[in-house]
Amino acid sequence: MNQDIIISTEDRVTTLTISRTDKKNAITQSMYAAMADAIIDYGSDENARAFVITGDGDMFTAGNDLQDFSTGGGSKDEIPPVSRFLYAVRDCPKTVLAAVNGPAIGVGLTMLLHCDLVYAGRSATFNAPFVKLGLVPEAASSLLLPAAVGMAVANDILLAGRTLDAEEALRFGLIARIYPDAELQQAVHQIALHIAGSAPNALKQSKLLIRNQREKIADQMHAEAKLFVAQLNSPDFAESVAAMMEKRTPVYG
Ligand code: COA
């Protein structure tokens, strides 16, 4: 188990806390691996009934670790841990909740599109800076975000880099409810307990009916992944990251 991923279970509710606060909960390949394992375990554990993803401190996650992006994360696995995690959330047969306790950046936003119940604290924000980094959307967000919030707002987020606050995210349908920051975790735990006490097969079958675009989503993720890897090796990405590190405006060829 990775020390930056905390898994706790109480009353059949499993909570996964992304806990790397000194790096704004940015997610490394080894953290993705632990997150994938936890979700897969949850999906196959008869006793586990609800799964909550949240962040430690005042941040949900700053997204993929930028260092890992640049170095490839050191993973020699055939399927990189980030993909294994995204497939695991996408394919989880049981209810997954998210308690967004602060900024959700990059994969912090895109993973939410695969969660079934998404709640946020008042100070949560939502941003997908893929183009800013010289990259393209991932996790089928190029399909699921327009479906969730409409094409105009999705383009504002994915192409123009707009950051939504919690009120906007609620209004656009990205999240279901907002709670005061101090009440978020307890409120989501209560909802998770309610899910844990609901008929398990009815929940599973309902989820299958709601998430009925599985093939289309898988195809979109595949298409995105090919372009994402190509962009990671592009001058646009190198310049974007260099400019971010040097706190200057990027200059593209
Ligand atoms: N990957 C790796 N490290 C990250 C990180 C990331 N995605 N986001 C933040 N960090 C690190 C910073 O490098 C810094 O480390 P240091 O203290 O060793 O220098 C630490 O977390 C604190 O970040 P800092 O930028 O000083 O905090 P802030 O409050 O001013 O800003 C953010 C917070 C999240 C807005 C800002 O860090 C940011 O924009 N991060 C990049 C987000 C991103 O582009 N993610 C990729 C999405 S695809």
Side-chain angles (χ1 to χ4, degrees), residues 16-57:
L16 182 159
T17 306
I18 306 166
S19 179
R20 191 180 175 223
T21 49
D22 59 327
K23 296 289 180 189
K24 301 286 173 186
N25 296 339
I27 308 175
T28 60
Q29 293 298 305
S30 63
M31 290 164 72
Y32 282 122
M35 293 166 77
D37 290 345
I39 292 191
I40 291 166
D41 286 353
Y42 160 63
S44 60
D45 180 351
E46 295 258 310
N47 290 315
R49 292 291 166 82
F51 191 95
V52 180
I53 303 176
T54 193
D56 199 357

Side-chain angles (χ1 to χ4, degrees), residues 83-167:
S83 302
R84 213 158 67 73
F85 165 67
L86 291 173
Y87 298 157
V89 194
R90 180 195 68 189
D91 297 337
C92 185
K94 298 186 335 199
T95 312
V96 178
L97 299 88
V100 185
N101 56 309
I105 304 176
V107 73
L109 187 165
T110 59
M111 76 167 85
L112 302 176
L113 300 167
H114 298 274
C115 295
D116 305 300
L117 296 163
V118 182
Y119 307 104
R122 194 151 293 284
S123 65
T125 58
F126 304 83
N127 176 231
F130 299 113
V131 169
K132 184 181 167 196
L133 286 166
L135 299 171
V136 298
E138 46 149 43
S141 56
S142 54
L143 177 75
L144 295 174
L145 195 59
V149 303
M151 186 63 77
V153 175
N155 284 349
D156 214 11
I157 297 168
L158 292 174
L159 303 183
R162 173 176 177 180
T163 298
L164 300 184
D165 63 25
E167 287 291 347

Side-chain angles (χ1 to χ4, degrees), residues 148-231:
V149 303
M151 186 63 77
V153 175
N155 284 349
D156 214 11
I157 297 168
L158 292 174
L159 303 183
R162 173 176 177 180
T163 298
L164 300 184
D165 63 25
E167 287 291 347
E168 290 168 328
L170 181 66
R171 182 152 38 94
F172 296 135
L174 188 60
I175 62 175
R177 300 184 214 179
I178 299 175
Y179 293 97
D181 289 332
E183 294 168 23
L184 174 71
Q185 302 297 352
Q186 188 52 30
V188 176
H189 189 68
Q190 286 306 315
I191 297 168
L193 284 175
H194 170 73
I195 292 289
S198 301
N201 283 327
L203 279 171
K204 270 192 201 173
Q205 298 304 332
S206 300
K207 176 165 178 169
L208 272 178
L209 287 167
I210 294 164
R211 302 228 171 235
N212 61 359
Q213 286 192 300
R214 298 170 80 79
E215 247 176 65
K216 205 168 167 193
I217 290 169
D219 287 348
Q220 192 79 3
M221 281 174 82
H222 185 65
E224 288 174 347
K226 270 172 100 172
L227 293 171
F228 197 97
V229 170
Q231 284 303 119

